[in-house]
Amino acid sequence: MSTTTQPTITIAGATATGKSDLALNLAEHLGGEIINTDSMQFYRGMDIGTAKLPIDERRGITHHLIDILDVREEANVQTFQRQAREAIADIRTRGKRPILVGGSGLYVRAATDRMEFPGTDPDVRARIESEVEADRWGRHRHLQEIDPAAAAKITPNDSRRIVRALEVIELTGRPFSAQLPDYQAIAPTIHLGLSVERKILHERIASRVETMWEHGWVDEVRRLLERGLAEGRTASRAIGYAQIQQYLAGELDRDDAQEQTTIRTRQFARRQDTWFRRDPRIVWIDGTAGDHAANAASALDAVADTKS
């Protein structure tokens, strides 16, 4: 089968499961190029805290949609959808296999599935954000009343999605649930997922956070603050970056900042897993052992077995 008709590959899963290594191994075996679907890796300078692979560790494999935003800019899934689909088409014209990797579930789906994204209104968004910030649980209860299907899929702790759901409903007059994806791909796609036993994943997350601090995460945040990090609506709220800003402001000590980052990352990993587990198309690979070669072999078997 020619590369122009071979399915696109996505690699999903929670943070710290080994997605980047798997993507590199598959790209080497299949002649692929990698498209980033981690929304925090869009930001220039957010390297340590997002586990962004340094260029010299990318094995010469081309990566797309990394370092495309300034920390003051807001990530936009509609813009990303266009950019990702353009990157997929470009990769195919050069006879390569597109491999999408990242843990931002909506961005993965936006690139490969039939999804439309209603516009936004800055004034409406700002008003709803202030309402949710003042009473997140109350706004979630309101969402339950006007769109129970959407509320069932959005937790009360997910402020950003509560805001977006209420904004879409107000702007379109339609339920936000009508905009939710229904797992219809626009082209043949193989969906792979990496899973790790929860206890092991929690240990990996704690170790990763500690290592990131040791490798200069605090200095990275200092540099980004000089470039306007605190003004960024998306980047400034990223897990770890927000806690380090509190640490630098004297609001948290080092231990508390690390602990809060670890806890938030574990909570985020659970939300990622919940999101991806809803997708019946994903072929799951157990990456608990941390054996990258074995993960790649399992993934290649899954690719070979999946019908395009």
Side-chain angles (χ1 to χ4, degrees):
M1 184 182 296
S2 69
T3 53
T4 56
T5 57
Q6 288 177 334
T8 295
I9 295 172
T10 71
I11 302 172
T15 187
T17 52
K19 297 185 297 296
S20 295
D21 282 295
L22 178 58
L24 288 172
N25 287 335
L26 286 186
E28 285 185 328
H29 280 87
L30 300 173
E33 295 184 7
I34 292 171
I35 300 173
N36 168 54
T37 58
D38 181 328
S39 62
M40 291 300 106
Q41 291 195 11
F42 296 158
Y43 290 100
R44 290 182 286 271
M46 291 179 66
D47 302 330
I48 296 172
T50 66
K52 188 185 297 175
L53 281 177
I55 293 176
D56 61 1
E57 294 181 17
R58 297 178 191 173
R59 306 183 198 174
I61 294 166
T62 301
H63 284 60
H64 302 260
L65 302 185
I66 288 180
D67 296 333
I68 58 174
L69 294 177
D70 181 82
V71 289
R72 292 185 177 90
E73 297 180 275
E74 186 168 3
N76 180 285
V77 69
Q78 189 173 24
T79 300
F80 169 80
Q81 183 181 61
R82 173 181 53 77
Q83 294 172 323
R85 293 181 180 183
E86 288 174 352
I88 290 171
D90 173 61
I91 291 168
R92 290 197 178 283
T93 62
R94 287 180 282 102
K96 299 288 188 177
R97 176 87 75 112
I99 300 174
L100 284 69
V101 58
S104 299
L106 182 61
Y107 285 78
V108 178
R109 301 287 307 283
T112 62
D113 288 0
R114 299 186 188 281
M115 297 181 67
E116 296 181 5
F117 297 96
T120 186
D121 183 300
D123 294 332
V124 172
R125 169 68 69 91
R127 172 173 53 77
I128 295 175
E129 282 181 335
S130 65
E131 293 171 352
V132 170
E133 184 175 351
D135 185 11
R136 184 177 71 245
W137 286 88
R139 291 290 81 195
H140 189 268
R141 285 193 297 272
H142 178 60
L143 181 61
Q144 286 179 316
E145 294 170 0
I146 62 177
D147 191 351
K153 295 185 177 181
I154 301 173
T155 71
N157 290 323
D158 196 343
S159 298
R160 292 187 65 191
R161 295 191 71 208
I162 294 172
V163 169
R164 181 56 176 157
L166 293 172
E167 180 190 24
V168 167
I169 293 168
E170 181 167 333
L171 292 178
T172 67
R174 300 173 58 206
F176 180 69
S177 53
Q179 317 295 331
L180 296 177
D182 57 2
Y183 305 110
Q184 293 185 21
I186 60 173
T189 306
I190 296 172
H191 300 275
L192 303 176
L194 267 177
S195 64
V196 171
E197 292 177 7
R198 181 164 295 182
K199 180 178 182 295
I200 302 299
L201 184 61
H202 284 185
E203 292 171 356
R204 287 191 194 176
I205 288 170
S207 176
R208 175 183 275 194
V209 169
E210 184 174 350
T211 298
M212 287 174 169
W213 274 69
E214 292 173 354
H215 288 180
W217 197 359
V218 174
D219 289 336
E220 177 174 285
V221 173
R222 286 194 181 100
R223 291 192 297 271
L224 290 171
L225 285 169
E226 294 175 357
R227 291 161 52 180
L229 174 64
E231 303 164 24
R233 295 169 64 86
T234 305
S236 67
R237 301 175 184 176
I239 296 172
Y241 290 88
Q243 286 69 43
I244 291 176
Q245 288 177 80
Q246 291 179 286
Y247 164 71
L248 292 173
E251 298 169 6
L252 294 174
D253 64 25
R254 179 187 176 110
D255 289 343
D256 286 340
Q258 286 191 2
E259 180 65 16
Q260 286 195 22
T261 299
T262 299
I263 292 170
R264 297 285 182 88
T265 305
R266 288 171 176 170
Q267 293 170 340
F268 177 57
R270 285 197 295 272
R271 292 198 299 272
Q272 288 176 300
D273 191 64
T274 298
W275 171 281
F276 290 121
R277 291 287 176 182
R278 294 193 189 112
D279 191 336
R281 303 167 301 179
I282 293 179
V283 178
W284 287 97
I285 297 165
D286 185 356
T288 301
D291 186 334
H292 299 312
N295 293 345
S298 297
L300 289 167
D301 287 343
V303 170
D305 291 342
T306 302
K307 302 298 183 182
S308 62

